[in-house]
Amino acid sequence: MDHGQHSPQHAGALKQWRLSLNVGLELTKPGIIVGNLASVFGGYLLAAGGRPVSLAHLLAALLGTALVIACGCVINNCVDRDIDRRMVRTCHRALAVRAVSLPSAFCYATVLGVIGFGLLWLGTTALACAMAAVGLIVYAGVYTCLMKRRSHWGTLVGSLSGAMPPVVGYCAVTGSFDATALMLIVVFCCWQMPHSHAITVMRHEDFRAAGLPTLTLRQARREINLYMVAFLISAAILGWVAAINVSYPLVVLGLGGYWFYLTLRPVRTTNAKVWARRIFSVSILLILALNLSLALNAVLPSPSALYHSSGVGENHQTQVRGGLSESVTTAFTDHLEETHG
């Protein structure tokens, strides 16, 4: 048998398979998925608080949430295919160039959503599944279909869906919605607003060409400043409510403070895009550092733990030259077990 006769057909089939895979991957917006999975991971380990973690349970939370987010992104591509064609940033997308049919894309989104919700329902908790459903409904339904083209307030509504991933991770462990879960929503919503408005300033011409609502530079800057203040305040409250470890205030005060400083610098129309790009870039670094800090709650002590352990040492006068005595070390260990156990 002459295999050489079939090599062109085999090569063509392989090329078509790779093209389909690339299109399918592109429709899910992988960059958005990866960024949100960092938030799921942070919320999950924050809730675990040092307790042993089941790898299967963690993977169900991560993969289930990733597939639900992918479902929402494919639906977003379907609905926005017309405006995507009018923007330089998005005109190459698969549905915009008709590389895939609309029914096929909707079927693809349905499969992703069914598998994702199935993993969350069977592998984690019903509440985590419900929080993921809220995020999908808000993003694909309320934001994409109803508000994105009508009002700039759609950005605020859309920020709620962006705040769901850390809550899904948190509720996957706790199975309950408490003050920490609520503050996670507030913090991540407040973070997303300056992040999103910076994109609006960076892509102002694109948004206008697509007929999307836009803000003037003055309006965008005012809203960015307001939401940044709200972010810093809510982040401080979250740290207090959840007794987050010592790295957390360093991230909030350090990177968060620098982020706020950038918004207060003078800006003109001529350098607005440069200003917005810096705000956008720092926002990415900040949210990654924030998620890492949440995840480190399992291994680092909270500021209150350090404070109380120091007080115990002074009260019992057991500190000796060269280090802490055994009684202080024991008290410190017991306190950490009580706080994080």
Side-chain angles (χ1 to χ4, degrees), residues 130 164 170 215 235 242 315 340:
M164 284 299 116
Y170 184 84
L215 297 173
N315 290 336
H340 299 285

Side-chain angles (χ1 to χ4, degrees), residues 30-93:
I32 292 178
I33 294 175
V34 171
N36 280 288
L37 284 185
S39 299
V40 178
F41 189 69
Y44 188 99
L45 291 188
L46 173 66
R51 294 187 296 272
V53 172
S54 165
L55 182 59
H57 189 266
L58 174 59
L59 288 177
L62 291 171
L63 184 57
T65 308
L67 291 174
V68 172
I69 294 171
C71 169
C73 289
V74 175
I75 294 174
N76 177 267
N77 271 311
C78 291
V79 176
D80 285 351
R81 65 192 185 281
D82 58 329
I83 62 176
D84 282 346
R85 295 188 187 109
R86 299 197 292 267
M87 294 194 292
V88 175
R89 182 173 61 98
T90 58
C91 63
H92 65 280
R93 287 178 176 173

Side-chain angles (χ1 to χ4, degrees), residues 239-240 242-250 293 297 300-311 332 335-336 339-340:
W240 174 70
I244 304 179
N245 64 80
V246 293
S247 69
Y248 182 80
L250 299 179
S293 180
N297 219 44
L300 294 179
S302 68
S304 61
L306 292 178
Y307 174 79
H308 288 305
S309 66
S310 176
F332 178 68
H335 186 86
L336 287 183
T339 305
H340 299 285

Side-chain angles (χ1 to χ4, degrees), residues 225-264:
N225 287 335
L226 288 174
Y227 284 110
M228 239 177 235
V229 171
F231 167 78
L232 292 172
I233 294 174
S234 59
I237 296 173
L238 172 62
W240 174 70
V241 168
I244 304 179
N245 64 80
V246 293
S247 69
Y248 182 80
L250 299 179
V251 170
V252 172
L253 294 176
L255 270 176
Y258 177 66
W259 197 34
F260 188 36
Y261 161 75
L262 288 178
T263 69
L264 298 177

Side-chain angles (χ1 to χ4, degrees), residues 89-155:
R89 182 173 61 98
T90 58
C91 63
H92 65 280
R93 287 178 176 173
L95 278 158
V97 299
R98 298 180 177 87
V100 61
S101 68
L102 189 61
S104 297
F106 270 119
C107 289
Y108 180 42
T110 301
V111 171
L112 291 171
V114 169
I115 298 175
F117 283 119
L119 282 171
L120 289 173
W121 180 267
L122 298 174
T124 62
T125 65
L127 183 59
C129 188
M131 291 296 101
V134 170
L136 178 61
I137 291 170
V138 170
Y139 178 69
V142 182
Y143 169 69
T144 299
C145 296
L146 296 179
M147 297 195 68
K148 181 177 181 178
R149 305 177 190 224
R150 300 178 181 179
S151 171
H152 76 273
W153 291 109
T155 304

Side-chain angles (χ1 to χ4, degrees), residues 22 61 135 268 279:
N22 289 337
R268 298 178 181 177
I279 292 174

Side-chain angles (χ1 to χ4, degrees), residues 6-18:
H6 301 283
S7 58
Q9 290 89 338
H10 292 167
L14 181 60
K15 183 178 180 180
Q16 185 62 38
W17 181 83
R18 287 178 177 174

Side-chain angles (χ1 to χ4, degrees), residues 283-318:
S283 73
I284 298 296
L285 293 175
L286 174 59
I287 204 63
L288 290 176
L290 193 70
N291 286 318
L292 177 61
S293 180
L294 297 180
L296 289 175
N297 219 44
V299 295
L300 294 179
S302 68
S304 61
L306 292 178
Y307 174 79
H308 288 305
S309 66
S310 176
V312 170
E314 291 175 1
N315 290 336
H316 291 277
Q317 296 181 350
T318 53

